[in-house]
Amino acid sequence: MARVGRKRMHCNNKELHHKYKTKRRMKDLDQIQEDLKPENKARLLNQELEEDLPGLGQFYCVECSKYFVDEQARRVHRRSREHKRRLRDLKDPAYTQKEAEAAAGLTTDSRCSGAEPPMSVGPMSLLSIKQQNEQKAAFVSANKKTKMEIE
């Protein structure tokens, strides 16, 4: 007698995975840092009763942007690894839009007159530093050639 194989209905269902992934979606770190400002934090901790939220919206963790059923659940969460990891991540300041553009190679500096290639601000990898040095060397050699042609 052969064994009847079972159907694997949800194994490769991308729509189902997307549904649960977006259901568990949380705020990004820069949004949470906005919530940690004193005026926003006070507003979030003292919310009025909301029937749709767990615990009527009274037990909220600002750092993780999660609602809990009661104080005991929130207390257990605060001792968890997930909460401690989020606190560690929030200690670093969030990147600004200007830093993101500079890291991508876009410049918003209006003081650049074109005499030198613009310097980017922010953390850089070794590869980007190497490419930047090569660009500077090519720029300097091009300037020397034009000066020699003029003389």
Side-chain angles (χ1 to χ4, degrees):
M1 237 160 105
R3 201 170 142 211
V4 178
R6 64 184 174 96
K7 292 184 179 181
R8 292 181 176 93
M9 296 294 289
H10 303 296
C11 183
N12 291 322
N13 191 344
K14 289 184 181 181
E15 291 177 9
L16 197 64
H17 290 288
H18 180 71
K19 174 182 160 185
Y20 288 117
K21 185 175 158 185
T22 55
K23 182 179 180 181
R24 292 185 300 261
R25 177 87 171 102
M26 297 174 48
K27 288 184 178 180
D28 290 328
L29 292 177
D30 57 339
Q31 294 170 325
I32 291 175
Q33 285 184 344
E34 277 293 315
D35 290 344
L36 286 173
K37 291 181 179 176
E39 61 274 3
N40 295 338
K41 188 173 184 176
R43 181 180 49 81
L44 288 170
L45 290 177
N46 300 320
Q47 296 181 19
E48 43 186 78
L49 298 178
E50 181 69 38
E51 290 183 22
D52 297 336
L53 298 174
L56 300 176
Q58 298 304 300
F59 307 104
Y60 182 70
C61 176
V62 180
E63 292 85 4
C64 299
S65 71
K66 281 187 174 180
Y67 290 94
F68 296 96
V69 177
D70 58 355
E71 183 60 37
Q72 175 64 25
R74 183 169 66 173
R75 207 175 306 128
V76 168
H77 163 75
R78 286 186 181 272
R79 289 192 303 254
S80 71
R81 178 182 296 165
E82 179 185 359
H83 180 77
K84 291 176 182 176
R85 185 177 296 143
R86 181 60 64 103
L87 288 177
R88 187 179 63 229
D89 291 343
L90 285 171
K91 285 182 181 176
D92 295 333
Y95 286 111
T96 62
Q97 183 64 31
K98 191 172 186 177
E99 288 173 332
E101 289 173 356
L106 303 173
T107 181
T108 57
D109 193 7
S110 61
R111 294 179 291 156
C112 264
S113 61
E116 283 187 20
M119 292 289 294
S120 64
V121 180
M124 295 173 47
S125 67
L126 292 175
L127 181 63
S128 63
I129 292 172
K130 180 181 176 184
Q131 290 172 347
Q132 197 174 43
N133 288 339
E134 290 172 356
Q135 288 175 351
K136 283 182 183 178
F139 184 77
V140 168
S141 65
N143 279 347
K144 285 181 181 178
K145 287 180 184 177
T146 55
K147 285 182 181 178
M148 293 175 83
E149 290 174 1
I150 293 173
E151 293 175 356

Short mmCIF file of all heavy atoms in Angstrom, two decimals, residues 42-69:
data_model
loop_
_atom_site.label_atom_id
_atom_site.label_comp_id
_atom_site.label_asym_id
_atom_site.label_seq_id
_atom_site.Cartn_x
_atom_site.Cartn_y
_atom_site.Cartn_z
N ALA A 42 5.40 61.74 24.82
CA ALA A 42 4.33 61.96 25.80
C ALA A 42 2.96 61.70 25.17
O ALA A 42 2.07 61.12 25.80
CB ALA A 42 4.40 63.39 26.34
N ARG A 43 2.80 62.10 23.93
CA ARG A 43 1.52 61.89 23.23
C ARG A 43 1.26 60.40 23.01
O ARG A 43 0.14 59.92 23.18
CB ARG A 43 1.53 62.63 21.90
CG ARG A 43 0.26 62.50 21.09
CD ARG A 43 0.35 63.28 19.78
NE ARG A 43 1.56 63.05 19.02
CZ ARG A 43 1.77 62.00 18.22
NH1 ARG A 43 0.84 61.08 18.08
NH2 ARG A 43 2.90 61.88 17.54
N LEU A 44 2.32 59.65 22.66
CA LEU A 44 2.15 58.22 22.40
C LEU A 44 1.92 57.41 23.67
O LEU A 44 1.18 56.42 23.66
CB LEU A 44 3.38 57.67 21.67
CG LEU A 44 3.51 58.11 20.21
CD1 LEU A 44 4.86 57.71 19.67
CD2 LEU A 44 2.41 57.49 19.37
N LEU A 45 2.54 57.81 24.78
CA LEU A 45 2.38 57.06 26.02
C LEU A 45 1.04 57.34 26.69
O LEU A 45 0.54 56.52 27.46
CB LEU A 45 3.53 57.38 26.97
CG LEU A 45 4.89 56.82 26.55
CD1 LEU A 45 5.96 57.26 27.52
CD2 LEU A 45 4.84 55.31 26.44
N ASN A 46 0.44 58.49 26.43
CA ASN A 46 -0.84 58.85 27.05
C ASN A 46 -1.94 58.93 26.00
O ASN A 46 -2.58 59.95 25.83
CB ASN A 46 -0.71 60.19 27.78
CG ASN A 46 0.34 60.13 28.86
OD1 ASN A 46 0.44 59.14 29.57
ND2 ASN A 46 1.13 61.18 28.98
N GLN A 47 -2.17 57.84 25.32
CA GLN A 47 -3.20 57.80 24.28
C GLN A 47 -4.56 57.57 24.91
O GLN A 47 -4.68 56.96 25.97
CB GLN A 47 -2.90 56.69 23.29
CG GLN A 47 -1.63 56.88 22.52
CD GLN A 47 -1.41 55.76 21.53
OE1 GLN A 47 -2.33 55.04 21.18
NE2 GLN A 47 -0.18 55.59 21.09
N GLU A 48 -5.59 58.02 24.22
CA GLU A 48 -6.93 57.72 24.69
C GLU A 48 -7.29 56.29 24.30
O GLU A 48 -6.61 55.66 23.50
CB GLU A 48 -7.93 58.71 24.13
CG GLU A 48 -7.75 59.05 22.66
CD GLU A 48 -8.69 60.13 22.22
OE1 GLU A 48 -8.42 61.30 22.50
OE2 GLU A 48 -9.69 59.77 21.59
N LEU A 49 -8.34 55.76 24.91
CA LEU A 49 -8.73 54.36 24.69
C LEU A 49 -9.12 54.13 23.24
O LEU A 49 -9.92 54.88 22.67
CB LEU A 49 -9.89 53.99 25.61
CG LEU A 49 -9.60 54.08 27.10
CD1 LEU A 49 -10.86 53.73 27.89
CD2 LEU A 49 -8.47 53.16 27.49
N GLU A 50 -8.55 53.09 22.66
CA GLU A 50 -8.81 52.73 21.27
C GLU A 50 -9.20 51.26 21.23
O GLU A 50 -8.40 50.39 21.58
CB GLU A 50 -7.57 52.98 20.42
CG GLU A 50 -7.71 52.69 18.97
CD GLU A 50 -8.63 53.66 18.25
OE1 GLU A 50 -8.61 54.85 18.57
OE2 GLU A 50 -9.39 53.21 17.38
N GLU A 51 -10.41 50.96 20.81
CA GLU A 51 -10.92 49.58 20.84
C GLU A 51 -10.20 48.65 19.88
O GLU A 51 -10.12 47.45 20.11
CB GLU A 51 -12.41 49.57 20.52
CG GLU A 51 -13.26 50.17 21.61
CD GLU A 51 -14.73 50.07 21.27
OE1 GLU A 51 -15.10 49.20 20.46
OE2 GLU A 51 -15.49 50.85 21.83
N ASP A 52 -9.67 49.17 18.79
CA ASP A 52 -9.05 48.33 17.77
C ASP A 52 -7.64 47.87 18.14
O ASP A 52 -7.13 46.93 17.55
CB ASP A 52 -8.99 49.07 16.44
CG ASP A 52 -10.38 49.40 15.91
OD1 ASP A 52 -11.32 48.70 16.30
OD2 ASP A 52 -10.49 50.36 15.13
N LEU A 53 -7.02 48.51 19.10
CA LEU A 53 -5.64 48.18 19.46
C LEU A 53 -5.59 47.21 20.64
O LEU A 53 -6.50 47.21 21.48
CB LEU A 53 -4.88 49.46 19.83
CG LEU A 53 -4.75 50.49 18.71
CD1 LEU A 53 -4.11 51.75 19.24
CD2 LEU A 53 -3.93 49.93 17.57
N PRO A 54 -4.54 46.40 20.73
CA PRO A 54 -4.41 45.49 21.88
C PRO A 54 -4.28 46.29 23.17
O PRO A 54 -3.59 47.30 23.23
CB PRO A 54 -3.12 44.73 21.60
CG PRO A 54 -2.88 44.89 20.14
CD PRO A 54 -3.50 46.17 19.74
N GLY A 55 -4.94 45.84 24.22
CA GLY A 55 -4.88 46.53 25.51
C GLY A 55 -5.49 47.91 25.46
O GLY A 55 -5.13 48.77 26.24
N LEU A 56 -6.38 48.13 24.50
CA LEU A 56 -7.03 49.44 24.29
C LEU A 56 -6.03 50.56 24.03
O LEU A 56 -6.31 51.72 24.25
CB LEU A 56 -7.94 49.79 25.47
CG LEU A 56 -9.07 48.81 25.75
CD1 LEU A 56 -9.82 49.22 27.00
CD2 LEU A 56 -10.02 48.72 24.56
N GLY A 57 -4.83 50.21 23.59
CA GLY A 57 -3.82 51.20 23.24
C GLY A 57 -3.11 51.81 24.42
O GLY A 57 -2.43 52.82 24.28
N GLN A 58 -3.24 51.20 25.62
CA GLN A 58 -2.65 51.79 26.82
C GLN A 58 -1.25 51.25 27.12
O GLN A 58 -0.52 51.87 27.88
CB GLN A 58 -3.56 51.52 28.02
CG GLN A 58 -4.92 52.15 27.87
CD GLN A 58 -4.82 53.65 27.64
OE1 GLN A 58 -4.29 54.37 28.48
NE2 GLN A 58 -5.33 54.10 26.51
N PHE A 59 -0.86 50.14 26.53
CA PHE A 59 0.44 49.53 26.82
C PHE A 59 1.26 49.53 25.54
O PHE A 59 1.19 48.62 24.72
CB PHE A 59 0.25 48.11 27.36
CG PHE A 59 -0.71 48.06 28.51
CD1 PHE A 59 -2.00 47.60 28.34
CD2 PHE A 59 -0.32 48.51 29.76
CE1 PHE A 59 -2.88 47.57 29.39
CE2 PHE A 59 -1.20 48.49 30.82
CZ PHE A 59 -2.49 48.01 30.64
N TYR A 60 2.06 50.59 25.35
CA TYR A 60 2.77 50.82 24.10
C TYR A 60 4.26 50.92 24.37
O TYR A 60 4.70 51.57 25.32
CB TYR A 60 2.26 52.13 23.47
CG TYR A 60 2.87 52.47 22.14
CD1 TYR A 60 2.57 51.74 21.02
CD2 TYR A 60 3.72 53.55 22.01
CE1 TYR A 60 3.11 52.06 19.78
CE2 TYR A 60 4.26 53.89 20.79
CZ TYR A 60 3.96 53.13 19.68
OH TYR A 60 4.50 53.46 18.46
N CYS A 61 5.06 50.26 23.56
CA CYS A 61 6.52 50.38 23.63
C CYS A 61 6.94 51.36 22.52
O CYS A 61 6.81 51.04 21.34
CB CYS A 61 7.18 49.02 23.43
SG CYS A 61 8.97 49.11 23.39
N VAL A 62 7.42 52.52 22.90
CA VAL A 62 7.75 53.56 21.92
C VAL A 62 8.95 53.14 21.08
O VAL A 62 8.98 53.38 19.86
CB VAL A 62 8.04 54.90 22.64
CG1 VAL A 62 8.40 55.97 21.65
CG2 VAL A 62 6.86 55.33 23.46
N GLU A 63 9.94 52.51 21.69
CA GLU A 63 11.15 52.14 20.98
C GLU A 63 10.90 51.11 19.88
O GLU A 63 11.56 51.11 18.86
CB GLU A 63 12.21 51.59 21.95
CG GLU A 63 12.75 52.62 22.90
CD GLU A 63 11.89 52.80 24.15
OE1 GLU A 63 10.89 52.05 24.32
OE2 GLU A 63 12.19 53.69 24.94
N CYS A 64 9.94 50.21 20.11
CA CYS A 64 9.65 49.15 19.13
C CYS A 64 8.37 49.41 18.35
O CYS A 64 8.05 48.67 17.43
CB CYS A 64 9.55 47.80 19.83
SG CYS A 64 11.07 47.34 20.67
N SER A 65 7.62 50.43 18.73
CA SER A 65 6.33 50.80 18.14
C SER A 65 5.38 49.61 18.13
O SER A 65 4.81 49.25 17.11
CB SER A 65 6.51 51.38 16.74
OG SER A 65 6.89 50.40 15.83
N LYS A 66 5.20 49.00 19.30
CA LYS A 66 4.31 47.86 19.46
C LYS A 66 3.33 48.11 20.60
O LYS A 66 3.69 48.72 21.60
CB LYS A 66 5.10 46.60 19.81
CG LYS A 66 5.77 45.93 18.67
CD LYS A 66 6.35 44.62 19.14
CE LYS A 66 6.93 43.83 18.01
NZ LYS A 66 7.50 42.57 18.46
N TYR A 67 2.13 47.58 20.43
CA TYR A 67 1.11 47.63 21.47
C TYR A 67 1.05 46.26 22.15
O TYR A 67 1.22 45.23 21.49
CB TYR A 67 -0.26 47.95 20.88
CG TYR A 67 -0.37 49.37 20.38
CD1 TYR A 67 -0.12 49.67 19.06
CD2 TYR A 67 -0.71 50.40 21.24
CE1 TYR A 67 -0.21 50.98 18.59
CE2 TYR A 67 -0.80 51.70 20.79
CZ TYR A 67 -0.55 51.98 19.47
OH TYR A 67 -0.63 53.27 19.02
N PHE A 68 0.77 46.25 23.45
CA PHE A 68 0.70 45.01 24.20
C PHE A 68 -0.64 44.91 24.92
O PHE A 68 -1.29 45.91 25.19
CB PHE A 68 1.85 44.91 25.19
CG PHE A 68 3.18 44.86 24.50
CD1 PHE A 68 3.93 46.01 24.31
CD2 PHE A 68 3.66 43.67 24.01
CE1 PHE A 68 5.13 45.96 23.65
CE2 PHE A 68 4.87 43.61 23.34
CZ PHE A 68 5.60 44.76 23.16
N VAL A 69 -1.01 43.67 25.26
CA VAL A 69 -2.30 43.40 25.87
C VAL A 69 -2.36 43.94 27.29
O VAL A 69 -3.37 44.52 27.70
CB VAL A 69 -2.59 41.88 25.86
CG1 VAL A 69 -3.89 41.57 26.56
CG2 VAL A 69 -2.62 41.37 24.45
#
